[in-house]
Amino acid sequence: MKVAYWPGCVSRGFTPELHGSMAKVAPLLDIELVELDRGNCCGAGVIAEHNQELADTLNARTFALAQQVEGAELMMNICSTCQGAQTECQERLDANAQYRAHVNETLSSDGLTYEKGLTNKNFLWLLVEEIGLDTLASKVRRPLTNLKVGPFYGCYIVRPRNRLGIDDEHPRDHYMERLIEALGGTVIEYAGMRKCCGFPIITMNKDASLKQAGTHLGDAMDAEADCLVTPCPLCHLNLDLQQPLAAKVVARKLEMPVLHLPQLVGLALGLDPKDLGLSRHVVKPTSVIDWSTSVVASAA
Amino acid sequence: MSSTTTAPRSSVPQAFKLRVRRYDPESGQAAYWDEHEIELEGHRSVLEGILQAKNRFDGSIGIRCSCRQAICGSCGVRINGEPALACHTHLDEAIKSAKDGVIEIEPMGNMPVIKDLIVDMDAVHWKKVRRVTPWLIAKQPVPEREYIVDRESMVDVTQTMACIQCGACVSDCLAMEVDPGFIGPAALAKAYRFVGDPRDDARHVRLNDLSQDPQGIYDCTHCFKCVEACPKDVNPMGQIMRLRRIAGSDEQIVDVNNGHRHEEAFTTLIRDYGLLHEAELLPRSYGGDSWFGKFHPAAGKELLSSLPAIVKAVVKGKVSPTKAIFGHKIAKRDLDSVKRIYERVEGKPQRYELNLYIVGEDE
Amino acid sequence: MPEHDVLIIGAGLAGQRAALAAAQAGASVAIMSKVHPVRSHSVAAAGGINAAISLDDDWRSHAFDTVKGSDFLGDQDAIEVMCSEAPGEVMHLEHMGVTFHRNEKGEMDLRAFGGASMKRTAYVADITGQALLHVLYEQLMKHHEQVERYEEWFTTSLLIDDAGRCVGVIARDVRSGRMESFLAKNVILACGGAGQAYKPTTNGLIVTGDGIALAYRAGAPLMDMEMVQYHPTCLVESGILITEGARGEGAHLLNANGERFMEKSAPNKMELASRDVVSRAEQIEINEGRGVGPNKAGIYLDVTVVPRKRTLEALREIVNLGRDFAGVDITREPIMIRPGQHYIMGGVKTDIDGRTPIDGLYAAGEVACVSVHGGNRLGANSLLDTLIFGRRAGEHAAARSASMPMPALNTVSRVQADEAGIDAIVRREKGGRRVSEIKDELGETMNRYAAVFRDEQGLQSARETVARLKEEAGSAWIDDRGTVFNQDVLGALELSYMLDCAEAIVLGAIERKESRGAQFRTDYAERDDENWLKHINITATADGPKVSYSPVNITQWEPEERKY
């Protein structure tokens, strides 16, 4: 399937391994990525905090660009925060025709118009709802046997449920568990899996921020996870990049690799850990690499 | 509870198992679980289930409750780990999120338990409410008749007025979990009720107060837990963001957490690059105009402590040194287009804000 | 032992308003409530508050509507006080911060309500009670130095001294179980009605007639107790209230044939006739087989005729209630309702300053009977009643306190007696019935025999049942043996309060051999001004309840036929 692909900022900035692994994984799943390289930052809720109309208009611009991609079935993102921030803006744009017209008026000088009703799905949702976990499972070359994986969703992709379309038919706040199982792995549930990583207040209350990250990482260690997986690169920054600092704040040793969602999928689809950028993490995913080596060894 | 279906409801009672967290402070024993099987129609509430257990099997189960219609705010609890009003949660909804076919009911979090499902709201929730000067400081002179104010403004503050002080948002506030001193969602929503009220004379003072408190409006982690928990659509986090917006953008208040600077930094970065430039965000957030520019004096230490993370990212090959310094940006014509949006929207004499609570959704 | 000039029992609208008024008058004030003040049942009042604030309105018109609504049983001097002071009170509340809905000019908007000759109901969407209650509580927090708050203290009895004066109360700290006596120069009862004596009821579980029973036991007369209001629009299953504001905004009532049957009994006011009239009309439709839904036990309330946008803004709460408690989107389809117990017009007899015949004891709000509601209360007059008479009681009690010494009384034995009474309940063997069973039977009995339509036979049977239940309550057992938050034992005390109220209601209904307001006797179907244009008072004596009468105060409106 062809999608208007919105990679977000961080996947092309501080977590390039996310963008890279997505590019590697897509063809294996017959996803054609048409990158929205003209799109702009979603604002991460911060621009909305400054000026809501500005955030709405900026996102309407990206949406309008997505709607111009010919043959694309939908817009896909790879960042929980983009998903949440964009959906919030879209909610307002879709709810009120007058407001939509008002925002489109601002966009008009660039020949852009946002039309109500864009479908914008995170890669996670797309895997479950568009590709299907059965199809995905059939493509698995290296099942995640014996790999104990803890999901870390990121707030923006699980709350609020109504806005994000989470309901009985679309239990999107449980897709990660299903996905890990479909890839052959073992799901590790732990207290922090749907909590906040702390990133939004890292510059405002560093202690509280790192305490959040550290607590969740510690909980995952106590639950004996080999690694975490997250669809959110901002969570990744606090959980991986800041892990050494978080360890100091919670005063315990932390050694918890955190994978991006496409990396985990890529591993199961048989890609080389190196190609997926696993070596670029601050916390070396030794357990995961060892695991993949052992799988390769036993296969040999 | 958000379902708007009008499918016929079953009038046949069915059995539900309830697992209730019990704690008796007089027993000297730790808290424990207690199970009861009750029989009610699926659309009846968890509260009705608890009351049936209380009336039939064990009258000592402690729970505050009164109105049974989600207006008195007494019966805040956690159901299957999530905060809710017991009277506002159907049994057949609750059973769906039950882990093992048993509906689990616990006291709310972030507040000390007094007995069973009863928590000490005064020690936490009300204390925080009292912190925000929770009464109108009326503009003078007080008119003879009513204050003449915009119709929309009264509808707007009625959203926060509709808070029933049940504590569900406080129960699971993730910021409060790691920082108990955070003023928190309910009290800050209450603060908006006055900040947004055109009859109040202390807008700036209130906002300044909440900005200079390190555990004030800039201590919220933006996790949406309160938005999800609220049974009355008060949208506490949304109100906190509005407090920030008014404090920072309208009242030009510089807060003690660097929150406003961070927000300005973020916003101007997107104007300048179209995309987020993480490395540049830090110095700008700390009051400088770049790594090579001048910093807010107090920010130096904070900034330096963030350096290792950046350096690590560069060393790890996550980011090339060039990218770390110069960032990535979108093509010029797109950047121009983004800048035009900034100019047009920010150039308006007054900030416009669509409030769906006021205007509603189109048919 | 805590001492206060004015001690208020109950922290709903009447209690909080009384506290603020007394504090403002300079008295040392305390307010005590068995629940946190914002949990008080005033919070559930939805539709609005009446006041002739419109420039083309006149308080006399409001007063006449109220007199007519009361079926001429209301005391007109009290009604004049309430209606003439209403505009000032509502403006005072607005100045305090109540977020009253505005019109396009920015002035307070007014909506239509039952029995009113013009739009005079100020409102905050359909959460007016909540908005008022929370704003008053804001003021209590503001004036915390002037008003002491005893939150979650349960009053077990009034302290009456040898001279028959009320000098304080005995109460139990719900949290610790500790009993304590409180001395006060004046006590104001403001603890609401007794709806839980009925099942179902719109009233919260805390509305158990505590104040009515405490005063009754202390020897104060109860007045108009037979006048029990059935609200016309309650959800069929749960009894949850759907605000009259819905009809105020234009909603229709329909029977199974899709007919607006109100045209038969109220051709002019239709759905906006007074509540007793509408509830009776609905009950007739149901009784005659034109009801809707299972067992044809309901009536359709059709809100879809109100513009959807208006409903979503001005009736938000019942949109939610419909969705969450009945599974119905009221903006798209009619919702099934029926009459349900809602309010007690009667209560502790007071004068226009809230004074009961017991020295030092005041009452205000639903616990009291001034009487401004007479045989039937108009919608949106209850909030007004609580505020006007709460304030007046507070002011009067404060003024009285200024010129009197703090009473002296050795309360040790009284506290011990109440403590012993509670211990006895806690220690009871599991022999008789459970408290909850007795309460259920009481509620069902009242709802069957002391409801919209009544007759001698049913009422006599209710009287016997209530008497038996009183017996059984004496040996009813509970589970909880603890002291911390022992809600079980408080439930037993509440049951005894409700039984006292029920006794008075049934006695009053048996006594009044006519049909007036909410009392409709199928065996005495006409209003009989010649014999029954008078209040019925019930007083507890050593020989049981005693009935007496008092005249209705008529100032300017002679009784006439009541038509809507």
Side-chain angles (χ1 to χ4, degrees):
Chain A
M1 69 185 305
K2 186 172 174 180
V3 300
Y5 168 49
W6 172 243
C9 304
V10 181
S11 79
R12 292 175 287 173
F14 264 33
T15 64
E17 69 278 6
L18 166 59
H19 190 36
S21 56
M22 187 65 233
K24 294 252 163 40
V25 165
L28 303 182
L29 296 168
D30 301 321
I31 303 173
E32 186 189 338
L33 302 175
V34 183
E35 189 170 327
L36 293 169
D37 51 7
R38 295 182 55 202
N40 48 259
C41 172
C42 72
V46 182
I47 295 181
E49 184 184 304
H50 170 81
N51 185 323
Q52 186 183 280
E53 185 193 344
L54 180 61
D56 291 352
T57 312
L58 287 169
N59 278 313
R61 181 178 175 275
T62 305
F63 298 159
L65 289 168
Q67 286 177 328
Q68 282 184 346
V69 176
E70 257 177 64
E73 288 173 44
L74 44 76
M75 172 169 153
M76 184 188 91
N77 66 76
I78 50 169
C79 172
S80 294
T81 303
C82 290
Q83 181 74 63
Q86 290 177 333
T87 307
E88 180 173 342
C89 294
Q90 195 187 342
E91 183 181 55
R92 282 187 289 268
L93 291 166
D94 284 0
N96 191 291
Q98 219 180 330
Y99 184 59
R100 201 160 55 245
H102 170 81
V103 167
N104 276 331
E105 164 67 25
T106 310
L107 296 180
S108 62
S109 57
D110 290 305
L112 293 171
T113 308
Y114 167 64
E115 276 169 42
K116 178 182 175 171
L118 172 82
T119 302
N120 176 21
K121 289 190 180 183
N122 184 274
F123 179 49
L124 173 67
W125 299 356
L126 183 119
L127 280 173
V128 179
E129 294 167 6
E130 305 293 330
I131 292 174
L133 292 179
D134 291 342
T135 309
L136 178 66
S138 73
K139 293 176 190 279
V140 167
R141 297 287 166 265
R142 186 198 286 139
L144 304 180
T145 318
N146 297 328
L147 189 67
K148 292 179 282 183
V149 186
F152 194 92
Y153 279 90
C155 301
Y156 278 81
I157 204 173
V158 286
R159 288 180 291 272
R161 293 166 58 89
N162 276 349
R163 179 186 295 157
L164 293 167
I166 303 174
D167 53 30
D168 290 347
E169 276 172 54
H170 304 93
R172 292 170 164 174
D173 51 348
H174 287 83
Y175 280 180
M176 296 260 270
E177 294 92 303
R178 295 183 178 190
L179 177 81
I180 293 164
E181 278 169 6
L183 298 177
T186 306
V187 177
I188 297 294
E189 302 214 349
Y190 60 105
M193 57 196 270
R194 290 184 193 84
K195 290 189 178 177
C196 177
C197 69
F199 183 78
I201 51 166
I202 186 74
T203 63
M204 300 182 237
N205 184 343
K206 195 172 215 167
D207 252 22
S209 171
L210 293 175
K211 196 171 169 193
Q212 290 186 305
T215 306
H216 308 326
L217 291 162
D219 286 348
M221 284 181 73
D222 295 343
E224 298 185 340
D226 293 322
C227 65
L228 299 186
V229 60
T230 181
C232 182
L234 297 175
C235 294
H236 197 272
L237 290 180
N238 238 33
L239 296 173
D240 178 61
L241 186 61
Q242 303 277 20
Q243 196 171 127
L245 288 175
K248 278 187 199 154
V249 171
V250 295
R252 69 177 283 185
K253 195 170 166 344
L254 294 176
E255 185 87 55
M256 179 53 63
V258 186
L259 272 57
H260 299 285
L261 179 63
Q263 289 179 321
L264 189 79
V265 175
L267 275 179
L269 295 181
L271 294 173
D272 188 309
K274 262 217 174 91
D275 290 344
L276 292 167
L278 282 181
S279 54
R280 291 182 153 198
H281 294 188
V282 166
V283 178
K284 199 172 180 223
T286 318
S287 54
V288 181
I289 291 168
D290 288 354
W291 166 84
S292 67
T293 322
S294 76
V295 171
V296 175
S298 67
Chain B
M1 297 294 296
S2 60
S3 143
T4 50
T5 62
T6 53
R9 304 165 136 212
S10 165
S11 56
V12 184
Q14 55 182 111
F16 290 95
K17 278 193 189 142
L18 307 181
R19 186 184 294 130
V20 181
R21 190 72 171 160
R22 305 293 305 272
Y23 170 66
D24 174 5
E26 295 169 272
S27 69
Q29 311 273 305
Y32 63 98
W33 293 103
D34 185 16
E35 257 186 53
H36 294 288
E37 186 167 306
I38 54 105
E39 248 188 28
L40 278 171
E41 300 87 340
H43 62 268
R44 305 287 281 272
S45 71
V46 171
L47 177 64
E48 288 174 285
I50 296 170
L51 291 177
Q52 191 181 89
K54 198 170 152 92
N55 289 340
R56 285 191 186 168
F57 312 118
D58 186 355
S60 73
I61 300 171
I63 180 169
R64 290 191 185 101
C65 55
S66 177
C67 74
R68 303 155 298 150
Q69 59 180 80
I71 192 75
C72 78
S74 302
C75 66
V77 290
R78 270 183 181 154
I79 298 171
N80 301 324
E82 296 295 335
L85 291 177
C87 73
H88 195 240
T89 309
H90 294 180
L91 288 160
D92 53 12
E93 285 293 319
I95 197 72
K96 283 187 205 158
S97 59
K99 268 175 278 181
D100 53 357
V102 183
I103 299 169
E104 227 168 66
I105 304 139
E106 297 168 85
M108 291 191 288
N110 282 333
M111 289 177 272
V113 178
I114 296 174
K115 176 192 175 181
D116 297 342
L117 303 172
I118 299 168
V119 299
D120 190 346
M121 289 199 63
D122 195 66
V124 179
H125 171 75
W126 287 107
K127 191 175 153 199
K128 291 173 187 295
V129 170
R130 291 192 289 267
R131 160 71 185 80
V132 303
T133 318
W135 51 81
L136 189 80
I137 297 172
K139 273 196 180 137
Q140 301 296 324
V142 174
E144 200 168 311
R145 284 175 64 90
E146 70 269 42
Y147 286 90
I148 303 298
V149 293
D150 270 0
R151 201 189 74 84
E152 284 75 16
S153 67
M154 282 295 107
V155 176
D156 176 21
V157 287
T158 295
Q159 182 177 19
T160 41
M161 195 71 236
C163 166
I164 56 175
Q165 312 293 340
C166 67
C169 61
V170 173
S171 163
D172 281 58
C173 171
L174 296 180
M176 216 182 275
E177 196 175 86
V178 290
D179 184 10
F182 174 43
I183 295 178
L188 290 174
K190 185 81 172 170
Y192 181 78
R193 175 252 173 285
F194 302 104
V195 167
D197 193 324
R199 300 169 297 179
D200 192 84
D201 201 25
R203 160 185 284 220
H204 187 87
V205 177
R206 289 178 189 278
L207 288 165
N208 195 51
D209 173 40
L210 298 173
S211 300
Q212 301 322 327
D213 185 334
Q215 293 165 317
I217 49 177
Y218 289 98
D219 201 22
C220 163
T221 67
H222 211 279
C223 73
F224 300 93
K225 264 283 185 183
C226 57
V227 180
E228 190 65 30
C230 180
K232 305 305 288 188
D233 196 18
V234 171
N235 187 14
M237 194 194 90
Q239 311 300 347
I240 296 172
M241 294 308 130
R242 297 172 81 190
L243 289 170
R244 289 185 184 179
R245 203 146 56 221
I246 302 168
S249 298
D250 300 349
E251 303 280 329
Q252 303 298 323
I253 295 169
V254 176
D255 61 286
V256 72
N257 296 55
N258 246 320
H260 179 56
R261 265 204 214 97
H262 171 70
E263 166 211 304
E264 288 274 304
F266 195 110
T267 308
T268 54
L269 269 176
I270 308 309
R271 183 196 61 206
D272 297 347
Y273 292 80
L275 298 172
L276 179 62
H277 181 190
E278 299 95 327
E280 194 66 29
L281 180 60
L282 280 162
R284 288 205 193 190
S285 293
Y286 290 116
D289 47 7
S290 134
W291 278 102
F292 313 108
K294 287 179 184 157
F295 300 125
H296 188 261
K301 199 173 144 238
E302 267 299 300
L303 188 57
L304 281 176
S305 77
S306 305
L307 257 178
I310 312 266
V311 171
K312 233 177 216 130
V314 175
V315 171
K316 274 283 178 178
K318 281 175 85 84
V319 191
S320 71
T322 339
K323 208 171 211 179
I325 295 168
F326 300 108
H328 50 292
K329 50 171 88 169
I330 52 180
K332 178 153 190 320
R333 72 161 176 153
D334 293 310
L335 206 49
D336 289 345
S337 143
V338 165
K339 282 191 173 136
R340 271 197 296 278
I341 291 175
Y342 270 76
E343 279 158 20
R344 294 188 66 167
V345 176
E346 301 235 274
K348 290 178 183 171
Q350 218 171 2
R351 200 164 47 73
Y352 175 71
E353 188 170 314
L354 181 82
N355 186 340
L356 287 179
Y357 190 84
I358 298 174
V359 301
E361 287 185 28
D362 293 343
E363 289 293 300
Chain C
M1 180 169 30
E3 296 180 349
H4 304 279
D5 288 345
V6 180
L7 174 61
I8 296 145
I9 311 301
L13 285 178
Q16 294 198 34
R17 188 67 187 88
L20 290 169
Q24 195 154 24
S28 77
V29 183
I31 186 162
M32 175 180 289
S33 169
K34 65 179 178 179
V35 293
H36 185 282
V38 304
R39 316 297 174 210
S40 307
H41 199 67
S42 304
V43 78
I49 178 167
N50 290 334
I53 58 174
S54 167
L55 294 176
D56 24 323
D57 201 355
D58 185 306
W59 69 262
R60 287 166 202 85
S61 163
H62 180 191
F64 173 71
D65 289 345
T66 303
V67 169
K68 181 179 169 189
S70 81
D71 219 349
F72 297 90
L73 188 65
D75 286 317
Q76 295 181 9
D77 57 336
I79 291 171
E80 286 176 353
V81 164
M82 179 174 84
C83 298
S84 62
E85 293 183 3
E89 183 65 27
V90 169
M91 289 305 165
H92 177 65
L93 292 161
E94 199 277 331
H95 297 157
M96 251 185 218
V98 177
T99 58
F100 284 113
H101 201 92
R102 298 305 211 264
N103 62 22
E104 293 302 337
K105 284 190 272 180
E107 301 158 342
M108 276 162 69
D109 194 34
L110 299 168
R111 67 163 42 128
F113 238 68
S117 49
M118 67 180 294
K119 288 186 179 181
R120 69 164 67 92
T121 305
Y123 63 97
V124 180
D126 51 351
I127 55 164
T128 314
Q130 187 205 333
L132 291 167
L133 186 71
H134 284 228
V135 166
L136 286 187
Y137 190 67
E138 290 166 9
Q139 294 297 312
L140 280 192
M141 289 190 278
K142 178 178 178 184
H143 296 289
H144 63 97
E145 282 171 5
Q146 290 85 42
V147 183
E148 179 99 10
R149 301 196 300 271
Y150 300 108
E151 296 171 355
E152 302 193 316
W153 280 78
F154 187 100
T155 308
T156 53
S157 54
L158 300 178
L159 283 170
I160 305 293
D161 71 5
D162 294 339
R165 296 174 304 187
C166 180
V167 296
V169 307
I170 298 170
R172 174 177 165 110
D173 177 8
V174 177
R175 183 163 174 178
S176 69
R178 184 170 60 92
M179 301 289 290
E180 172 87 87
S181 55
F182 297 77
L183 280 188
K185 294 178 184 173
N186 293 287
V187 171
I188 302 176
L189 292 173
C191 30
Q196 282 289 320
Y198 281 74
K199 186 183 177 181
T201 170
T202 62
N203 292 189
L205 296 162
I206 59 171
V207 187
T208 50
D210 304 12
I212 298 174
L214 287 169
Y216 184 53
R217 289 172 189 186
L222 306 183
M223 188 165 86
D224 297 346
M225 286 299 282
E226 69 279 15
M227 296 302 181
V228 177
Q229 180 164 82
Y230 271 63
H231 192 289
T233 54
C234 305
L235 295 184
V236 169
E237 183 184 69
S238 57
I240 285 173
L241 176 73
I242 299 296
T243 178
E244 183 167 311
R247 283 171 288 138
E249 297 291 340
H252 295 166
L253 291 169
L254 305 173
N255 65 14
N257 306 328
E259 294 157 350
R260 285 179 73 186
F261 55 88
M262 282 311 298
E263 64 194 7
K264 287 183 277 188
S265 44
N268 297 317
K269 296 298 286 182
M270 298 291 284
E271 283 83 359
L272 288 175
S274 65
R275 288 177 176 173
D276 57 330
V277 172
V278 181
S279 284
R280 255 191 312 276
E282 289 179 0
Q283 198 60 51
I284 288 168
E285 295 302 304
I286 293 167
N287 291 353
E288 294 180 357
R290 293 185 295 278
V292 300
N295 307 320
K296 301 184 177 183
I299 292 289
Y300 276 137
L301 173 69
D302 185 5
V303 190
T304 65
V305 294
V306 181
R308 187 160 186 269
K309 211 170 163 63
R310 174 69 183 163
T311 302
L312 290 172
E313 177 172 288
L315 299 169
R316 281 175 203 272
E317 186 63 14
I318 60 164
V319 171
N320 295 338
L321 289 175
R323 181 191 68 203
D324 299 338
F325 294 93
V328 170
D329 178 355
I330 62 162
T331 69
R332 306 281 186 205
E333 59 189 320
I335 186 165
M336 258 193 298
I337 49 82
R338 56 158 178 73
Q341 197 282 341
H342 180 57
Y343 187 87
I344 305 233
M345 271 71 75
V348 186
K349 180 178 169 57
T350 72
D351 68 9
I352 55 170
D353 291 311
R355 281 185 294 185
T356 73
I358 295 178
D359 228 17
L361 183 65
Y362 293 72
E366 194 176 345
V367 67
C369 181
V370 189
S371 138
V372 284
H373 309 305
N376 170 70
R377 173 175 70 75
L378 291 189
N381 262 358
S382 64
L383 294 184
L384 183 61
D385 167 19
T386 61
L387 294 162
I388 297 290
F389 293 103
R391 172 174 56 73
R392 292 180 66 95
E395 284 167 354
H396 199 277
R400 184 172 182 268
S401 300
S403 60
M404 66 185 282
M406 189 60 68
L409 186 72
N410 186 339
T411 60
V412 176
S413 64
R414 308 272 187 114
V415 173
Q416 281 170 348
D418 277 14
E419 222 160 15
I422 287 178
D423 282 350
I425 299 171
V426 170
R427 282 200 305 271
R428 267 180 209 156
E429 297 291 322
K430 296 191 177 182
R433 301 177 81 188
R434 272 182 179 275
V435 166
S436 56
E437 281 171 36
I438 299 175
K439 186 187 164 197
D440 282 352
E441 190 181 345
L442 170 67
E444 281 153 17
T445 302
M446 296 299 283
N447 194 47
R448 187 158 170 203
Y449 298 117
V452 174
F453 291 109
R454 306 161 171 188
D455 62 25
E456 185 72 19
Q457 203 187 350
L459 289 167
Q460 289 297 349
S461 132
R463 171 148 83 168
E464 285 160 28
T465 304
V466 171
R468 170 172 54 79
L469 294 177
K470 270 192 143 180
E471 278 290 314
E472 292 174 355
S475 61
W477 56 273
I478 60 170
D479 295 294
D480 199 336
R481 310 254 149 148
T483 51
V484 175
F485 259 95
N486 187 333
Q487 298 170 313
D488 225 6
V489 78
L490 300 183
L493 298 178
E494 288 171 339
L495 175 64
S496 73
Y497 292 155
M498 286 184 276
L499 284 161
D500 283 355
C501 295
E503 176 181 86
I505 291 168
V506 172
L507 274 182
I510 290 172
E511 184 68 19
R512 185 173 289 281
K513 293 185 172 45
E514 65 155 353
S515 292
R516 178 188 302 272
Q519 155 105 340
F520 194 98
R521 294 274 307 244
T522 51
D523 43 357
Y524 301 95
E526 299 298 321
R527 192 174 91 189
D528 175 2
D529 286 343
E530 198 173 318
N531 294 302
W532 291 103
L533 185 59
K534 60 188 177 189
H535 298 292
I536 296 171
N537 300 305
I538 296 170
T539 313
T541 71
D543 309 323
K546 201 183 97 222
V547 172
S548 60
Y549 306 108
S550 53
V552 173
N553 190 317
I554 293 172
T555 57
Q556 43 181 321
W557 297 286
E558 285 303 320
E560 57 183 49
E561 199 193 347
R562 190 163 163 251
K563 278 187 186 160
Y564 284 104

